[in-house]
Amino acid sequence: MHFLDELNEQQREAVEYIHGPLMVIAGAGSGKTKVLTARIAYLMERGVDPFHILALTFTNKAANEMKARVERMLGNTEARNLYIGTFHSVFARLLRSDAHRLGYPANFTIYDTDDSKSVLKKIIAELKLDEKHYRPNIVFQRISNAKNSLIGWQEYQQYHELLQEDNRAGRPMIAKIYEYYARRCFQNGAMDFDDLLYQMYVLLTQFPDVLHKYQHKFQYILIDEYQDTNPAQYAIIKLLGAVHENICVVGDDAQSIYSFRGATIRNILQFEKDYEDVKVVKLEQNYRSTRNILAVANEVIAYNKQQLPKKLWTQNDEGEKIKLVSLLSEYDEARFVVDAIAEQKYRNHYNNKDFAILYRTNSQSRSFEEHLRRMNIPYTIYGGISFYQRKEIKDFLAYLRVVVNPLDEESLFRIINFPQRGIGEVTQAKIRVLASEHKISVWDVMQRAQDFGFRQNIAETLDAFVTMIKNLQLMLETENAYTVALQAGKASGLVKELYNDKSVEGIARYENVQELLNAIQEFTETPDEEGELTDKSLGAYLQQISLLTDADKDTAESDTVKLMTIHAAKGLEFPCVFVVGLEEGLFPSAMSINTREELEEERRLFYVAITRAKERLWLTYAANRYRYGNQMQNDPSRFISELPPEYIDTPVDQVQLIRRVSQNMFAQQTMPFESSKNTSYRQVQSTPTSTVHVPSPDFKPDDFRLMKVGMKVEHQKFGYGQIVSIDGNATNPIATIRFELSGEKKIMLSYARLRIVSSDAEAS
DNA sequence: TCGGAAATGTTTTTT
DNA sequence: ACATTTCCGA
């Protein structure tokens, strides 16, 4: 079957409209990737050379997937010639070939956020500024935002509004820090993440021949996740597409969740005004979720004012109701979620990989991790500290970085005395002073240590270090990346140092470095595919891995429960999804409730979370949670009160989130953690099975471990009943109870609050 | 100059 | 609660 025949009317329209600007508004689960890949395949089928197609995606993984899918559609390997990748990785590649125009070495180092902050910290200290006022985080944020808005340090110093903001915040020196930072990065031959965009823009605007080259190279441009682009990306796209104007942007304003990174939803809201005759196609049919899930998502997002009008619909089944669960603590929350996973696996034959636990912040993963491990359920955590942020990996990479680019002082000072070789703080400081006095690089000072009057033994040590690096640099010319890396580990003594540490962590560190070496070997030894000419140098490797993220790790197929932030879950889907931690201050985050814009972004985040689910969705809330080491009480998230009750079930409600009228007073007296403020929840319609039962006044639940088959019990909602059977495991017994009023129900004993009425058990 | 203890900051999300 | 930084004594 031809790929065009698999598309619905709107999808097909988006694929076949290939001349002129096109905006595709692609609702969640509406087949966005399908459209993008089909469009590329269609272009190529119509004779467009893949060398002229540029496709920018949000993650490397998305790019690779897309490439593979196009290959499959066309049945040939032409797709390898596409220019496809993230903004950052594509621009890094382009910058590499023209870096010298901007005065950077082709092997420029890419600083990640940690590197950047480390440089900033040093500058703040050198300027004798107080780190309390000039917190590296804040300063970095400020500079990052400026760059993402294409404001260089010179412009920053002229920009009254920004200067005033800094003044008012008591940080008048940020403009100066920015200047120092930019100069330092340049001297170090390094670009940070934001530079990859900013310098690309500078390159295109200052060198018309370069602009011309790429404008004619990239005749067709496709942009994925357009709602999450920032002004720098916007400007670059505008420049690159100016000649052919064959720009296709795909996105969903309702899923714009990266404004903290400088993304602006304006790009997508205003695309229609950017060009004459913009074609707009809306994909509104959802193929992913059940009707219930989609209904909830639609209702939630409707609370936002700022959005492009659209309404998602689906032909899928109605599905289960959404489960809303309140628990007393994060411990209970984790236990509930993990038990529910076990139960679903058992009852509905799901695999581990069918489940995702989504949270607002990485720190929430811990309690789930503990419970999953206890229950022997394999899991994968995305995010947090990535492999490449581990200290031992950064140390090793620092050696390689210095070999490739000895101007990179950040890396140089990281390793100069690690493992210890007697170049202490004092010597390091002296080197720095000499370098700035003579206006030469630190590396130059070290190379000529003998000339600068160091003590003899120190000069010798410096010499030995320099010789080691130089030998590695020589190897670079004849040997492949892996051989150089292996030798670097040996010559530096780093591998030996790690090997000698026999503590548990030490062994793990050693293994991590081995894993890194394996990865480098794999990189060097992967043969070039036909027609492909990849750069196998160490420099190319380092630039590539700087831009890798956890999301790119291909663990999706392994049969594990996935844990990740909602941000990391963007673009993914799972049969069963748990959205946890729905509490005021956490989700929405306390940092994001000060303006309508911030709050609406949090709501979009909630929308993204909901729409990840295909079949079943749980939303959980914990009344108590540890934060900064002490326990905090939280109100239920305001988003809970925005849920449409007709699609919601509350199988477990330790906090009585939803109070039924008849139980109102009862709930008040027995629920110590009840929040008296939160009465805004719309009342649930009573369902046929929940005939109201008024619990006896002295109702006090008994320990579930006492429950036996045959017992008569009382349930707060369902009234009196008899336990028919108990199955499940010991930690999570599931009882079938025949209630007088509402018939047989399966109930998880550890959560149900049951009172034993009479224990004439074992009768059956 | 080093190692261990005390103090301090951190948690919003990521290329 | 945890990690990182700073402080302090030998």
Side-chain angles (χ1 to χ4, degrees), chain A residues 426-441:
Chain A
V426 182
T427 312
Q428 287 178 37
K430 199 166 162 189
I431 296 172
R432 278 184 219 269
V433 171
L434 284 167
S436 67
E437 268 177 6
H438 292 78
K439 296 210 165 20
I440 55 176
S441 71

Side-chain angles (χ1 to χ4, degrees), chain A residues 172-191:
Chain A
M173 291 296 282
I174 288 193
K176 203 79 203 158
I177 300 173
Y178 185 5
E179 177 183 348
Y180 275 66
Y181 173 73
R183 288 183 187 280
R184 182 74 52 90
C185 286
F186 183 74
Q187 278 165 18
N188 288 5
M191 295 198 198

Side-chain angles (χ1 to χ4, degrees), chain A residues 353-372:
Chain A
K353 67 172 176 201
D354 296 331
F355 299 93
I357 303 173
L358 307 181
Y359 34 75
R360 181 65 179 77
T361 67
N362 278 307
S363 57
Q364 286 167 263
S365 68
R366 257 193 58 188
S367 52
F368 297 100
E369 215 180 332
E370 281 167 16
H371 280 268
L372 285 164

Side-chain angles (χ1 to χ4, degrees), chain A residues 372-641:
Chain A
L372 285 164
R373 204 176 303 144
R374 194 170 306 161
M375 297 282 278
N376 267 323
I377 298 175
Y379 59 89
T380 309
I381 297 185
Y382 290 74
I385 325 128
S386 85
F387 181 73
Y388 295 103
Q389 284 176 300
R390 290 165 196 272
K391 185 183 175 299
E392 63 276 18
I393 299 302
K394 289 213 84 167
D395 288 339
F396 200 122
L397 289 176
Y399 272 99
L400 303 183
R401 282 174 164 192
V402 170
V403 170
V404 168
N405 172 19
L407 295 178
D408 177 3
E409 291 177 20
E410 186 55 28
S411 301
L412 185 56
F413 281 111
R414 187 181 179 99
I415 54 162
I416 195 167
N417 200 30
F418 186 82
Q420 287 190 5
R421 50 174 70 85
I423 308 175
E425 299 276 315
V426 182
T427 312
Q428 287 178 37
K430 199 166 162 189
I431 296 172
R432 278 184 219 269
V433 171
L434 284 167
S436 67
E437 268 177 6
H438 292 78
K439 296 210 165 20
I440 55 176
S441 71
V442 162
W443 179 240
D444 286 332
V445 174
M446 292 180 63
Q447 286 185 93
R448 291 158 42 206
Q450 306 285 356
D451 308 344
F452 286 105
F454 285 96
R455 279 214 328 262
Q456 188 55 35
N457 60 334
I458 289 180
E460 274 165 22
T461 316
L462 288 175
D463 246 9
F465 180 79
V466 168
T467 309
M468 173 185 76
I469 299 292
K470 281 192 168 167
N471 283 338
L472 291 166
Q473 285 171 342
L474 278 177
M475 280 183 75
L476 219 46
E477 288 163 23
T478 52
E479 309 289 336
N480 67 30
Y482 174 64
T483 316
V484 179
L486 206 60
Q487 179 60 26
K490 226 185 265 177
S492 63
L494 189 65
V495 170
K496 200 170 153 201
E497 170 98 2
L498 292 169
Y499 182 76
N500 288 335
D501 184 348
K502 292 296 180 197
S503 65
V504 183
E505 305 84 28
I507 291 166
R509 280 194 288 268
Y510 178 75
E511 282 169 355
N512 284 335
V513 168
Q514 291 304 324
E515 198 182 323
L516 177 67
L517 280 167
N518 288 341
I520 299 177
Q521 184 172 29
E522 198 183 323
F523 169 81
T524 13
E525 290 178 1
T526 308
D528 278 349
E529 313 217 27
E530 191 199 344
E532 212 180 11
L533 236 184
T534 39
D535 188 346
K536 297 282 187 202
S537 70
L538 188 58
Y541 174 76
L542 290 175
Q543 288 191 353
Q544 180 205 294
I545 60 155
S546 305
L547 298 169
L548 282 184
T549 60
D550 268 18
D552 299 322
K553 257 194 308 186
D554 204 19
T555 48
E557 284 311 302
S558 64
D559 187 27
T560 56
V561 173
K562 305 294 187 289
L563 286 75
M564 64 187 88
T565 63
I566 299 163
H567 283 90
K570 190 170 82 156
L572 306 178
E573 58 179 34
F574 304 91
C576 302
V577 168
F578 296 84
V579 181
V580 301
L582 279 167
E583 294 130 45
E584 277 299 299
L586 185 62
F587 192 15
S589 160
M591 324 283 285
S592 309
I593 48 175
N594 301 316
T595 66
R596 175 173 297 280
E597 285 70 34
E598 286 174 346
L599 184 65
E600 294 206 345
E601 177 148 325
E602 292 288 303
R603 195 177 281 110
R604 290 194 294 270
L605 196 54
F606 187 42
Y607 175 80
V608 168
I610 293 171
T611 53
R612 296 312 93 196
K614 293 163 85 167
E615 296 162 18
R616 291 164 201 271
L617 173 65
W618 287 259
L619 308 172
T620 68
Y621 149 76
N624 298 278
R625 182 182 295 280
Y626 278 93
R627 241 186 155 180
Y628 309 121
N630 33 4
Q631 205 176 45
M632 313 272 283
Q633 282 192 28
N634 294 312
D635 288 338
S637 169
R638 66 190 72 190
F639 297 150
I640 287 180
S641 63

Side-chain angles (χ1 to χ4, degrees), chain A residues 633-746:
Chain A
Q633 282 192 28
N634 294 312
D635 288 338
S637 169
R638 66 190 72 190
F639 297 150
I640 287 180
S641 63
E642 295 171 2
L643 299 166
E646 56 271 34
Y647 304 106
I648 308 291
D649 246 357
T650 52
V652 176
D653 193 355
Q654 292 186 348
V655 197
Q656 301 276 294
L657 262 188
I658 306 174
R659 281 173 286 173
R660 283 155 213 272
V661 179
S662 65
Q663 293 178 355
N664 218 343
M665 286 184 50
F666 174 76
Q668 302 268 350
Q669 71 184 39
T670 57
M671 294 298 161
F673 299 106
E674 176 71 27
S675 149
S676 54
K677 277 180 282 175
N678 196 69
T679 50
S680 59
Y681 195 85
R682 289 177 256 165
Q683 287 296 321
V684 201
Q685 303 161 340
S686 73
T687 57
T689 51
S690 68
T691 316
V692 175
H693 164 76
V694 182
S696 33
D698 60 338
F699 186 96
K700 194 170 150 287
D702 290 296
D703 190 320
F704 71 88
R705 279 164 294 209
L706 301 172
M707 312 278 167
K708 296 283 185 304
V709 174
M711 280 180 172
K712 278 202 151 178
V713 294
E714 182 189 1
H715 184 281
Q716 283 184 61
K717 281 182 229 159
F718 304 138
Y720 297 100
Q722 187 174 27
I723 302 180
V724 178
S725 65
I726 299 180
D727 36 30
N729 56 40
T731 48
N732 183 32
I734 298 163
T736 308
I737 302 175
R738 193 182 306 119
F739 288 103
E740 289 168 6
L741 292 171
S742 39
E744 272 192 22
K745 289 195 177 301
K746 280 191 189 287

Side-chain angles (χ1 to χ4, degrees), chain A residues 211-212 215-216 218-219 238-246:
Chain A
L211 177 62
H212 189 260
Q215 276 178 337
H216 287 270
F218 300 129
Q219 293 169 9
K238 190 112 200 206
L239 281 172
L240 288 177
V243 171
H244 294 93
E245 290 204 342
N246 291 326

